[in-house]
């Protein structure tokens, strides 16, 4: 074989090998790049709740866009797969990839849940609660506790919790005669203060209020009440807020998160962090316009609690704060941080 013929044969073999390699890469590449993940997401919000649309459907849309469709969230309304109080365990065990809960629903697992749900009459403005979570480190403390159970924790937003009642509260006797739908630390607080507070799932709340099983309830503030139809049967919106807190949380199975490629893991975490700020600010804006709409269209009245009632509630609240500190060393540390912060703000 001549030198020229040998060279030509070598080039032909090399070219064939290269063509096969490129062909294999092209056939494998798009398939790998298009691998998709579908997460089941159990909400604690009924589909009619404003947060189901504004928080959960927003998250679904944004993650779909930012992962080019590689991460799909399949949403389920409250109670569709699990009861609200069972969602944390389902996510912890990896049965669900994601869920939304009130921290109150995980009090048996997360010692900071009571503080996260909102100590009554602590913060006076939403920005104070946001700063406590994100700048002073409370969010990271929550995340560290949840991680012990295989859960990645992200507070959806901080916002006020305000009651609606069927009759105005004009005295302490009016308050102590109330039957109120509540949950978590606020349920304990309202009971300690003298009202009869009980837990009712969101899907049953309207009927309970309409039928007189309860006289009042809290489901967020004006947006929650409006979206759940509560103003149809309870015309008095009570202020000031019972608390301002991260009353909604998004929880993700760490197992599910670890299965994602690194770029997608970062997208999920960054999106959840962004969601906190977007939803906190958006919620405040919508609170203002929703309450104004309820007043104009449904005859709702703002019921400002008399000073006598407010003073007694504050006294009860501050006694209760110390009880939360007994839950763990972590809770004791968080409460000390909170008290220092409130003192710095001039509230204590």
């Amino acid at each position: 074989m001549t030198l020229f013929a040998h060279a030509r044969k070598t080039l032909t073999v090399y070219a064939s090998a290269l063509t096969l390699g490129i062909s294999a890469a092209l056939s494998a590449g798009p398939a790998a790049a298009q691998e998709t993940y579908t997460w089941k997401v159990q909400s604690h919000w009924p589909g009619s709740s404003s947060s189901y649309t504004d928080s959960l459907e927003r998250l679904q849309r944004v993650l779909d866009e930012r992962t080019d469709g590689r991460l799909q969230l399949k949403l389920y309304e409250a109670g569709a797969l699990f009861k609200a109080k069972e969602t944390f365990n389902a996510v912890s065990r990896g049965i669900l990839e994601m869920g939304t809960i009130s921290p109150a629903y995980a009090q048996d697992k997360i010692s900071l849940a009571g503080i996260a749900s909102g100590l009554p009459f602590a913060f006076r403005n939403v920005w104070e609660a946001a700063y406590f979570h994100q700048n002073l480190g409370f969010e990271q403390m929550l995340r560290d506790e949840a991680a012990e159970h295989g859960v990645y924790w992200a507070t959806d937003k901080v916002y006020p919790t305000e009651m609606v009642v069927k009759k105005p509260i004009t005295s302490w006797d009016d308050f102590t005669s109330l039957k109120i739908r509540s949950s978590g630390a606020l349920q304990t607080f309202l009971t300690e203060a003298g009202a009869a507070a009980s837990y009712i799932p969101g899907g049953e709340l309207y009927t309970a209020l309409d039928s007189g099983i309860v006289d009042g309830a809290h489901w967020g503030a004006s947006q929650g009440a409006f979206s759940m139809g509560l103003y149809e049967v309870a015309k008095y919106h009570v202020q000031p807020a019972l608390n301002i807190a991260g009353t909604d949380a998004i929880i993700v199975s760490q197992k599910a998160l670890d299965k994602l490629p690194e770029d997608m893991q970062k997208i999920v975490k960054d999106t959840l962090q962004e969601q906190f700020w977007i939803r906190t600010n958006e919620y405040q804006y919508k609170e203002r316009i929703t309450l104004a709409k309820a007043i104009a269209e449904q005859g709702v009245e703002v019921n400002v609690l008399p000073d006598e009632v407010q003073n007694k509630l504050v006294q009860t609240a501050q006694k209760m704060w110390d009880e939360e500190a007994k839950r763990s060393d972590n809770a004791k540390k968080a409460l000390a941080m909170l008290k220092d912060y409130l003192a710095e703000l001039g509230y204590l």
Side-chain angles (χ1 to χ4, degrees):
M1 180 183 294
T2 66
L3 183 61
F4 176 75
H6 178 76
R8 186 170 61 180
K9 182 177 181 182
T10 301
L11 286 171
T12 301
V13 171
Y14 176 76
S16 297
L18 184 61
T19 300
L20 287 172
I22 292 172
S23 179
L26 287 173
S27 61
Q34 293 302 313
E35 184 175 2
T36 60
Y37 301 81
T38 300
W39 283 4
K40 297 186 297 295
V41 186
Q42 170 71 66
S43 174
H44 70 302
W45 299 305
S48 59
S49 176
S50 60
S51 286
Y52 188 92
T53 300
D54 294 345
S55 285
L56 200 50
E57 289 185 356
R58 175 193 179 274
L59 190 63
Q60 180 189 48
R61 183 179 66 255
V62 172
L63 287 176
D64 177 61
E65 292 172 355
R66 293 181 181 175
T67 63
D68 295 323
R70 289 182 293 160
L71 180 58
Q72 299 287 321
L73 303 186
K74 186 172 177 57
L75 309 184
Y76 295 89
E77 295 185 33
L81 300 177
F82 295 92
K83 294 180 180 179
K85 292 186 176 182
E86 296 173 354
T87 303
F88 185 91
N89 285 340
V91 172
S92 175
R93 294 166 58 192
I95 299 172
L96 285 174
E97 288 82 9
M98 181 184 282
T100 71
I101 62 168
S102 164
Y105 303 160
Q107 286 191 94
D108 60 332
K109 298 290 192 302
I110 306 297
S111 73
L112 297 175
I115 298 174
S117 297
L119 295 181
F121 290 91
F123 303 116
R124 300 184 187 181
N125 299 287
V126 169
W127 72 261
E128 296 164 1
Y131 192 88
F132 181 68
H133 269 261
Q134 301 292 351
N135 294 67
L136 295 185
F138 183 62
E139 183 77 4
Q140 189 59 52
M141 292 176 72
L142 279 167
R143 194 162 289 162
D144 291 344
E145 273 205 9
E148 295 175 9
H149 301 279
V151 171
Y152 184 85
W153 183 287
T155 300
D156 181 59
K157 55 187 173 295
V158 291
Y159 63 94
T161 294
E162 297 173 352
M163 287 195 302
V164 296
V165 292
K166 299 175 79 169
K167 295 181 180 179
I169 301 169
T170 61
S171 67
W172 183 245
D173 286 342
D174 286 344
F175 175 81
T176 55
S177 69
L178 288 174
K179 295 174 292 183
I180 304 170
R181 181 272 173 199
S182 186
S183 64
L186 281 182
Q187 182 180 340
T188 303
F189 162 67
L190 291 168
T191 301
E192 287 290 320
S198 59
Y199 171 74
I200 296 171
E204 302 170 18
L205 179 51
Y206 179 93
T207 302
L209 196 56
D210 185 35
S211 64
I213 293 174
V214 291
D215 310 305
H218 58 79
W219 187 268
S222 61
Q223 287 177 83
F226 194 97
S227 66
M228 297 281 278
L230 304 188
Y231 288 136
E232 295 174 11
V233 290
K235 297 296 185 182
Y236 296 92
H237 184 99
V238 181
Q239 290 182 342
L242 294 173
N243 70 16
I244 299 172
T247 319
D248 293 320
I250 299 165
I251 53 175
V252 181
S253 163
Q254 189 62 51
K255 290 179 182 177
L257 199 56
D258 290 342
K259 289 178 182 177
L260 298 180
E262 286 188 14
D263 68 313
M264 289 174 67
Q265 291 185 38
K266 185 175 188 306
I267 288 170
V268 170
K269 291 179 179 180
D270 288 350
T271 300
L272 290 173
Q273 181 68 13
E274 174 192 82
Q275 173 125 334
F276 175 91
W277 295 108
I278 287 176
R279 288 293 292 130
T280 294
N281 289 321
E282 180 183 49
Y283 203 91
Q284 287 309 103
Y285 161 70
K286 289 192 173 182
E287 276 300 298
R288 188 61 158 250
I289 62 174
T290 301
L291 183 56
K293 184 178 181 180
I295 291 170
E297 297 180 2
Q298 295 186 286
V300 171
E301 297 181 27
V302 174
N303 176 197
V304 178
L305 293 175
D307 290 343
E308 170 203 17
V309 177
Q310 289 194 46
N311 291 338
K312 288 186 178 182
L313 290 177
V314 169
Q315 290 170 12
T316 302
Q318 292 186 354
K319 290 177 185 177
M320 186 185 144
W321 295 358
D322 293 329
E323 289 301 311
E324 283 299 322
K326 297 177 183 178
R327 289 172 59 85
S328 71
D329 289 340
N330 219 20
K332 182 178 180 180
K333 178 182 175 182
L335 183 63
M337 183 171 73
L338 174 62
K339 285 185 173 181
D340 287 346
Y341 179 46
L342 294 177
E344 186 180 19
L345 294 174
Y347 299 158
L348 293 181

